[in-house]
């Protein structure tokens, strides 16, 4: 992230005041340090020293908050620079692909983050300030992360294919039968092996992996070793992978993790990206899961080049008045709703999991009694009214189990495909490190 010019100039100006009015000789002028410098050339872009310094500070703050010891500065700097290079490549792909994050999307993301932390936007701003970040800096970071997420969805997620036969085979397997079992909070360390590496390079990586495992067995801090040694994308987070089900993990980890006690680490396992170790941080669940569903129908009117946002709102309001006056909801939806997925069904979304809906729709639906019309409201798609036809709590149906299996199999493939794709774009890029 680029440092503001005023922030760079401020220490230089203060230094000039301390010179007590002395005139600088030409030789002294020649010793003036540059404001910033390039530390890496990445294809058609560069990474500046100020960006590296800013990210180093953020990572060091994160490590301190976790209570872990930071690795040596040169090791941490190399990890952070490699992360910046990978991010820069993905942002360039996003730029070439025309991926843009609108101010409205960014504002919604900021609001969602604040809400998840039980804060107002003003409280969120104050919390950022305490961590030394401005709201503008946070917005730029979130924008970058949203672009990278969309690039990955296009380049990685969309190429993952899971056949119906794979889903059925999974459901018939022991792992499939345990898909509603425990979840595991995991961290990993990846000792990376370059693609096409010779036997000497592989053996060296294996020795590093075994040395790392021995240190962990002797009580070394996992997060610190992840930051200093891991080649995984989550290395700077101490290797934290979040919560996973066993079925989301590639073999043999899908079975090994169930044998671990909290705090234990698997032995290094050779995988396509390199040698991997997993640590079990915590586990939860195992009980039967129940899903709340809502039967709902709606009418959507979108603003357009010939219909302003206010005109769209007024049209939906008139439709609401007509329904209250006795006209048929389904008929109006078939005639006028601009949601192609539900209009032909009279606006009926059938029984639906609220978690699958955008927050604006979900919130109005939650506050609308069954059998009543909602007030007019707006979502990212346009203006709506909805009617709740019923609510139920249901055990996971066969269809739901199939969807879970599909999601788990896609996630399993996604992790490996992501690492392979990141390695590919890094290998194919022109990168010149100038540290």
């Amino acid at each position: 992230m680029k440092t503001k010019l005023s922030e760079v100039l401020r220490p230089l100006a203060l230094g000039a005041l301390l010179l007590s009015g002395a005139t600088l000789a030409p030789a002294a002028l020649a010793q003036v340090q540059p404001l910033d410098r390039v530390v890496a050339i990445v294809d058609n872009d560069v990474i500046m020293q100020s960006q590296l310094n800013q990210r180093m500070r953020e990572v060091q703050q994160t490590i301190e908050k976790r209570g872990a010891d930071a690795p040596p500065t040169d090791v941490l700097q190399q990890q952070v620079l490699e992360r910046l290079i990978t991010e820069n490549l993905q942002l360039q792909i996003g730029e070439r692909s025309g991926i843009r994050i609108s101010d409205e999307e960014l504002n919604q993301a900021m609001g969602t983050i604040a809400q998840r932390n039980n804060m107002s936007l003003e409280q969120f701003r104050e919390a950022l300030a305490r961590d030394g970040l401005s709201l503008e800096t946070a917005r730029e970071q979130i924008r970058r992360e949203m672009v990278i997420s969309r690039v990955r969805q296009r380049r990685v997620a969309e190429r993952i294919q899971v056949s119906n036969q794979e889903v059925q085979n999974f459901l018939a397997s022991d792992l499939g039968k345990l898909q509603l079992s425990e979840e595991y909070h995991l961290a990993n360390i990846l000792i990376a092996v370059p693609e096409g590496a010779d036997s000497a390079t592989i053996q060296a990586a294996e020795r590093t992996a075994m040395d790392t495992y021995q240190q962990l067995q002797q009580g070394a801090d996992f997060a610190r070793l992840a930051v200093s040694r891991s080649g995984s994308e989550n290395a700077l987070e101490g290797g934290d992978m979040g919560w996973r089900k066993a079925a989301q993990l590639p073999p043999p980890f899908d079975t090994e993790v169930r044998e671990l006690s909290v705090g234990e680490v698997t032995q290094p396992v050779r995988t396509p990206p390199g040698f991997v170790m997993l640590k079990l941080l915590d586990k939860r669940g195992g009980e039967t899961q129940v899903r709340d569903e809502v039967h709902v129908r709606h009418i959507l009117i979108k603003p357009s080049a010939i219909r302003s946002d206010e005109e769209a709102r007024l049209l939906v309001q008139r439709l609401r008045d007509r329904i209250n006056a006795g006209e048929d909801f389904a008929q109006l939806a078939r005639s006028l709703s601009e949601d192609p997925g539900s209009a032909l069904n009279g606006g009926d979304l059938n029984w639906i999991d609220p978690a699958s809906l955008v927050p604006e729709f979900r919130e109005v639906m939650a506050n609308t009694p069954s059998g009543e019309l909602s007030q007019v409201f707006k979502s990212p798609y346009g203006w709506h009214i909805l009617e709740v036809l019923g609510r139920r709590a249901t055990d996971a149906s066969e269809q739901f189990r199939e969807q879970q299996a599909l999601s788990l199999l896609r996630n399993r493939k996604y992790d490996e495909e992501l690492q392979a794709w990141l390695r590919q774009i890094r290998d194919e890029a022109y990168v010149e490190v100038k540290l």
Side-chain angles (χ1 to χ4, degrees), residues 300-334:
L300 167 66
I301 301 296
K302 300 177 181 180
S304 66
I306 59 173
R307 181 194 294 137
S308 70
D309 189 70
E310 178 61 15
E311 288 170 339
R313 185 190 70 80
L314 290 173
L315 176 54
V316 176
Q317 182 61 57
R318 286 195 295 272
L319 292 175
R320 184 179 187 278
D321 294 340
R322 289 168 64 180
I323 294 169
N324 279 330
E327 291 195 49
D328 184 65
F329 188 113
Q331 185 59 46
L332 288 174
R334 278 190 286 267

Side-chain angles (χ1 to χ4, degrees), residues 51 84 106 169 201 225 238 265 311 382 432:
Q51 292 174 275
L84 285 172
L106 196 52
N169 290 344
T201 302
L225 284 177
V265 179
E311 288 170 339
E432 182 180 348

Side-chain angles (χ1 to χ4, degrees), residues 267-338:
Q267 291 194 31
V269 174
R270 180 71 164 97
T271 69
F275 293 90
V276 176
M277 289 154 276
L278 295 186
K279 179 177 181 179
L280 179 59
L281 303 176
D282 199 1
K283 59 183 177 181
R284 68 187 181 191
E287 67 278 359
T288 301
Q289 296 186 9
V290 176
R291 181 174 68 169
D292 292 325
E293 294 180 321
V294 181
H295 189 189
V296 65
R297 58 183 178 178
H298 80 126
I299 294 174
L300 167 66
I301 301 296
K302 300 177 181 180
S304 66
I306 59 173
R307 181 194 294 137
S308 70
D309 189 70
E310 178 61 15
E311 288 170 339
R313 185 190 70 80
L314 290 173
L315 176 54
V316 176
Q317 182 61 57
R318 286 195 295 272
L319 292 175
R320 184 179 187 278
D321 294 340
R322 289 168 64 180
I323 294 169
N324 279 330
E327 291 195 49
D328 184 65
F329 188 113
Q331 185 59 46
L332 288 174
R334 278 190 286 267
S335 301
L336 297 171
S337 180
E338 296 176 330

Side-chain angles (χ1 to χ4, degrees), residues 48-231:
M48 306 300 293
Q49 182 73 57
S50 56
Q51 292 174 275
L52 179 59
N53 292 344
Q54 174 66 24
R55 185 63 66 87
M56 283 282 290
R57 285 193 293 270
E58 294 169 5
V59 170
Q60 286 167 338
Q61 287 176 358
T62 301
I63 294 173
E64 289 173 4
K65 287 180 179 178
R66 269 203 310 264
D69 294 328
T73 300
D74 59 334
V75 174
L76 181 62
Q77 182 174 258
Q78 185 62 38
Q79 282 273 25
V80 171
L81 181 57
E82 190 60 36
R83 171 72 69 86
L84 285 172
I85 290 170
T86 305
E87 288 180 3
N88 189 289
L89 288 170
Q90 294 172 86
L91 290 169
Q92 289 189 55
I93 292 172
E95 179 71 23
R96 292 194 297 270
S97 302
I99 295 175
R100 301 287 186 273
I101 306 299
S102 67
D103 287 342
E104 183 178 2
E105 290 175 297
L106 196 52
N107 291 337
Q108 289 176 352
M110 295 289 289
T112 299
I113 293 171
Q115 187 177 33
R116 286 176 181 170
N117 288 276
N118 298 315
M119 296 180 183
S120 65
L121 278 176
E122 184 57 35
Q123 291 171 326
F124 186 41
R125 185 196 301 269
E126 293 171 357
L128 290 170
R130 288 194 294 271
D131 286 338
L133 289 173
S134 68
L135 189 62
E136 291 71 24
T137 298
R139 283 174 62 87
E140 176 61 17
Q141 288 181 346
I142 293 168
R143 185 194 66 80
R144 289 164 60 96
E145 290 170 5
M146 291 174 72
V147 170
I148 288 172
S149 176
R150 292 189 183 180
V151 167
R152 291 179 177 182
Q153 287 299 317
R154 291 188 183 184
R155 297 299 181 92
V156 180
E158 289 184 355
R159 358 187 252 189
I160 296 173
Q161 301 296 324
V162 179
S163 69
N164 184 62
Q165 188 60 53
E166 287 179 282
V167 171
Q168 298 306 320
N169 290 344
F170 174 77
L171 289 173
S173 69
D174 290 338
L175 285 176
K177 295 171 184 176
L178 292 171
Q179 64 180 303
L180 295 181
S181 62
E182 293 160 309
E183 286 186 301
Y184 304 92
H185 187 187
L186 299 168
N188 74 333
I189 291 177
L190 165 66
I191 305 302
V193 175
E195 192 170 358
D198 57 26
S199 59
T201 302
I202 295 173
Q203 290 171 8
E206 185 175 15
R207 287 194 296 272
T208 300
M210 289 306 301
D211 175 68
T212 303
Y213 178 72
Q214 292 299 328
Q215 290 190 46
L216 292 170
Q217 294 300 102
Q218 294 166 12
D221 183 80
F222 190 97
R224 183 179 182 186
L225 284 177
V227 171
S228 61
R229 295 191 176 188
S230 180

Side-chain angles (χ1 to χ4, degrees), residues 19 127 374 411:
L19 292 175
S374 72
N411 286 338

